[in-house]
Amino acid sequence: MAKTIQMRTPQQEKEARLVAGMYDKDRKIQSELYAYCSEYFWANCHGLFFADDDTAMEIFQSTFVTFWEKIEQRKIYVSEGRVMGNNGEPLTSSILTYFISIAKNKYKEWARKNPSYVDIDTSKKQYADMLYDSDENKMLDIIADIISRMSEQCSKILSKFYYEGKDLDTILMEITSITSKNALKTKKYKCMESLRNSANDIYRNYLNS
């Protein structure tokens, strides 16, 4: 019986090359795999994890180490030009999907260790529970009011990121006073910290009233 030849997409071929090179400790390919995973992670993490950029970076680094270990332990490996899982079957998805699944577990571990962490979405839920009256838009009004009273730059960054859904590259092009992506990340982090602190003050005042 003739052997069935399974066609591979360019992405599958690339990912097989990256996994094989990682296992062989090829430094150039290790760097390429790091960049491949990093680009995908940062393009999607803010829709998956409610954490600041520093925490997200910790999650990414920990995820990459675990991903690397799985390759070294041959829980992910390459056979006949295809990436295989530890069940001996080809991965049914991209290694990027596999990578993000590890990252999600890392985030859950971090969230369990940091139960007091307050992010923008958690704050919204808390305000919904504590501050909603007959007007269900009251909580959103509070957040919007805080942002409107922040510095012009913070107001622009947070509005563009959270309300308009724009990524950092787009925001960087629109706010010409910020000259680099790293500077934008730092500024966004500081603006978020200010927003969280103001939100927490409102929450505490409510509890004490």
Side-chain angles (χ1 to χ4, degrees):
M1 182 180 294
K3 185 176 181 178
T4 302
I5 300 176
Q6 293 183 319
M7 300 299 293
R8 296 186 295 275
T9 66
Q11 183 183 22
Q12 289 173 327
E13 292 178 348
K14 174 181 179 178
E15 293 188 347
R17 177 178 61 81
L18 292 175
V19 171
M22 190 73 172
Y23 182 76
D24 291 337
K25 296 181 171 58
D26 185 314
R27 289 185 177 276
K28 183 177 180 181
I29 292 183
Q30 287 173 350
S31 297
E32 187 179 351
L33 179 60
Y34 183 93
Y36 184 60
C37 294
S38 178
E39 181 179 358
Y40 187 80
F41 177 87
W42 288 108
N44 293 278
C45 69
H46 289 296
L48 298 171
F49 314 126
F50 304 126
D52 57 66
D53 287 342
D54 288 344
T55 300
M57 176 57 78
E58 291 179 16
I59 292 171
F60 171 76
Q61 298 289 1
S62 179
T63 299
F64 190 78
V65 169
T66 298
F67 187 50
W68 190 342
E69 290 172 345
K70 287 183 180 294
I71 293 174
E72 288 187 331
Q73 296 163 3
R74 290 187 64 78
K75 292 181 178 179
I76 305 173
Y77 62 98
V78 175
S79 176
E80 298 182 350
R82 299 183 71 86
V83 179
M84 313 290 285
N86 59 5
N87 58 358
E89 297 291 332
L91 288 186
T92 57
S93 61
S94 165
I95 62 172
L96 295 173
T97 304
Y98 188 94
F99 185 89
I100 287 295
S101 70
I102 298 173
K104 287 179 179 178
N105 288 331
K106 295 291 184 182
Y107 172 73
K108 289 177 182 177
E109 291 174 6
W110 174 84
R112 284 196 295 268
K113 294 177 182 177
N114 297 271
S116 62
Y117 178 85
V118 180
D119 58 66
I120 185 65
D121 288 83
T122 302
S123 296
K124 287 181 180 179
K125 184 180 184 302
Q126 288 176 330
Y127 289 134
D129 291 341
M130 294 292 186
L131 301 180
Y132 273 2
D133 200 347
S134 57
D135 181 5
E136 293 191 353
N137 290 319
K138 187 172 182 179
M139 173 271 297
L140 294 176
D141 289 341
I142 291 171
I143 299 297
D145 181 62
I146 294 172
I147 291 176
S148 70
R149 289 185 282 106
M150 300 178 79
S151 68
E152 182 179 358
Q153 196 173 65
C154 277
S155 181
K156 283 183 178 179
I157 291 171
L158 296 182
S159 294
K160 288 178 182 296
F161 192 85
Y162 289 102
Y163 293 145
E164 299 176 27
K166 295 178 178 178
D167 59 27
L168 293 177
D169 290 321
T170 301
I171 296 172
L172 186 61
M173 289 188 293
E174 294 181 354
I175 303 180
T176 56
S177 59
I178 301 178
T179 57
S180 72
K181 191 171 182 178
N182 283 337
L184 176 57
K185 286 181 180 179
T186 299
K187 185 63 178 177
K188 173 179 164 288
Y189 173 77
K190 291 180 178 178
C191 293
M192 278 301 303
E193 286 299 294
S194 178
L195 175 59
R196 290 188 187 106
N197 290 336
S198 296
N200 283 334
D201 287 342
I202 292 174
Y203 180 66
R204 283 192 292 268
N205 288 337
Y206 171 80
L207 291 179
N208 294 329
S209 62

